[in-house]
């Protein structure tokens, strides 16, 4: 039953993607593909995948215990806080905290988790900002 609900939710989400894609106004300077192509491709993949899940569900899953669900909820909260704090504290600091916390919850020891968080944050910053020249959210320290 849960697969059917999840599949129907995915189909509704795909329909929302299609509606949002068709609401995008195209500029006269757009390329051949246009800005609607990528959201429509994502909606198609999501819709087909969700239809398969709804029409061919797996046997009823065994849900994790309450403690594990609380850990999952905490990880979701960390990702929401990451998105909210990204423009405030910047990419490097917020990514270091989020990656460190998630590494810790995935089984790293605390010191390893801190090193993974800092290494991930600095590594992504170097590649995307310094090498590729892409703009990342600046923090109070200027990076």
């Amino acid at each position: 039953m849960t697969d059917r609900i999840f599949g129907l939710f995915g189909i509704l989400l795909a329909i929302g993607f299609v509606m949002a894609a068709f609401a995008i106004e195209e500029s006269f300077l757009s390329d051949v593909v246009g800005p609607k192509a990528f959201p429509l491709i994502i909606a198609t993949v999501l819709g087909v995948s969700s239809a398969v899940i709804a029409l061919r569900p797996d046997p009823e899953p065994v849900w994790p215990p309450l403690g594990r669900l609380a850990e999952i909820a905490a990880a979701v909260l960390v990702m929401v806080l990451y998105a909210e704090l990204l423009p405030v504290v910047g990419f490097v600091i917020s990514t270091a905290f989020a990656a460190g916390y998630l590494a810790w919850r995935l089984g790293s020891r605390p010191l390893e988790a801190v090193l993974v968080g800092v290494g991930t944050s600095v590594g992504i910053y170097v590649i995307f900002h310094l090498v590729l020249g892409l703009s990342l959210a600046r923090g109070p320290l200027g990076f």
Side-chain angles (χ1 to χ4, degrees), residues 82-138:
Y82 173 72
E84 290 295 320
L85 293 176
L86 192 61
V88 177
V89 298
F91 177 83
V92 175
I93 296 171
S94 58
T95 301
F97 279 109
Y101 174 80
L102 294 174
W104 174 60
R105 294 313 311 145
L106 287 171
S108 296
R109 285 181 241 131
L111 180 60
E112 291 173 341
V114 168
L115 294 175
V116 165
V118 171
T120 300
S121 177
V122 171
I124 293 172
Y125 180 81
V126 167
I127 291 170
F128 283 94
H129 185 69
L130 300 179
V131 174
L132 297 176
L134 299 175
S135 178
L136 298 173
R138 291 188 181 272

Side-chain angles (χ1 to χ4, degrees), residues 31-76:
D31 57 4
V32 177
V33 177
K36 297 178 183 180
F38 185 70
L40 290 175
I41 291 169
I42 297 297
T44 302
V45 171
L46 177 62
V48 170
S49 303
S50 297
V52 169
I53 290 171
L55 297 174
R56 299 185 62 194
D58 288 336
E60 279 300 310
V62 177
W63 287 92
L66 187 59
R68 181 63 75 181
L69 288 175
E71 286 186 35
I72 293 169
V76 169

